[in-house]
Amino acid sequence: MSKVLVISASPRKGGNSDTLCDEFIRGALSSGHEVTKIRLAEKNINYCSGCGQCFKKGECSQKDDMQEILPLFESADSVVLATPVYFYCMNGQMKTFIDRCCPAYEKLSNKKFYVIVTAAEKAKDTFDETMAAFNGFFRCLDGAEVVKVIRGMGVFRPHEVKTSKAMEMAFLAGEDC
C-alpha cells in the first residue's frame, strides 16, 4: 500500500481533468492505496512573492493553504498532478501551486509522478508545452520519476472525457501506482 496525493487544478468540479483524477483514485483505492485528493480551486493559495524567505529560513512567509498541502506532498509516495490545458500550457492554478512548492522542494525527492492533462485540441503536439513546464519542475526534484502521462484529447465540454480511452488509462494507472 502506498500513499497517493492527487492534486486537481481543474477549476470545475467534475470537469474533464477532475473526472480523470476521480477515475485514477477509483483504481488506486481498488488496489488498497491510501489516497488524498486536493482540489486547488477550493484552496487559498497565493502567488509566490519572490521574497526569498524559503531559501533563508526554509519556510514560506505566506500563511495560506500551502501549509496544509506541502506536508501531504512530502509524505506521499506517488503524486498525481492534473490540469486542463489552456493556450497550450498548464492552467494558472497548477503553475501557482508548483511555484509555491519552493520551500519544500528538497523534501520532495524520490516520488513517483502521474500527470493528467486534458485539452479540447486533438493535435499530437497539444501537450508539448505543458509537459515541458512539468518536466522543468520534475528536474528540480531529486529522484522524480514520471510513471505515466494520461492525455484526455479532444475534450472541452464537461464530462466529454467519460467516453474516451483516457478513463481506462486513468483507472489502470491508479491500480498500478
Side-chain angles (χ1 to χ4, degrees):
M1 182 177 88
S2 65
K3 292 175 80 172
V4 181
L5 177 64
V6 177
I7 303 290
S8 174
S10 176
R12 298 185 301 199
K13 188 171 188 168
N16 290 308
S17 58
D18 197 51
T19 297
L20 290 176
C21 286
D22 291 343
E23 193 65 6
F24 184 100
I25 290 168
R26 198 169 73 83
L29 291 174
S30 75
S31 291
H33 299 294
E34 178 185 328
V35 182
T36 301
K37 179 181 178 186
I38 294 175
R39 288 192 21 80
L40 296 179
E42 297 169 357
K43 298 296 180 184
N44 176 32
I45 302 172
N46 300 317
Y47 301 112
C48 176
S49 67
C51 70
Q53 180 173 312
C54 56
F55 293 114
K56 295 173 192 163
K57 296 185 179 180
E59 64 181 39
C60 187
S61 63
Q62 300 188 63
K63 306 303 177 212
D64 60 14
D65 290 336
M66 282 302 286
Q67 291 177 298
E68 161 199 337
I69 299 169
L70 283 176
L72 296 171
F73 196 159
E74 290 174 28
S75 67
D77 301 303
S78 298
V79 178
V80 177
L81 298 176
T83 183
V85 173
Y86 294 164
F87 298 101
Y88 298 97
C89 201
M90 66 180 62
N91 71 0
Q93 291 90 330
M94 180 59 72
K95 180 62 172 118
T96 297
F97 168 77
I98 288 172
D99 289 348
R100 290 293 306 286
C101 287
C102 195
Y105 83 95
E106 291 177 329
K107 299 175 187 172
L108 304 177
S109 58
N110 302 313
K111 306 270 182 226
K112 292 182 189 177
F113 286 94
Y114 297 81
V115 177
I116 294 174
V117 287
T118 58
E121 295 267 345
K122 293 182 182 180
K124 186 177 180 181
D125 64 351
T126 298
F127 302 105
D128 289 355
E129 288 84 359
T130 303
M131 289 312 302
F134 275 123
N135 288 331
F137 178 51
F138 300 143
R139 284 179 58 187
C140 296
L141 307 178
D142 288 336
E145 175 190 356
V146 179
V147 177
K148 185 85 174 163
V149 178
I150 300 154
R151 295 171 181 88
M153 300 176 74
V155 295
F156 177 71
R157 289 178 182 77
H159 311 295
E160 275 187 306
V161 77
K162 288 185 176 182
T163 59
S164 76
K165 291 182 181 182
M167 289 292 284
E168 181 183 4
M169 291 171 44
F171 181 84
L172 294 173
E175 266 189 330
D176 292 339
C177 73

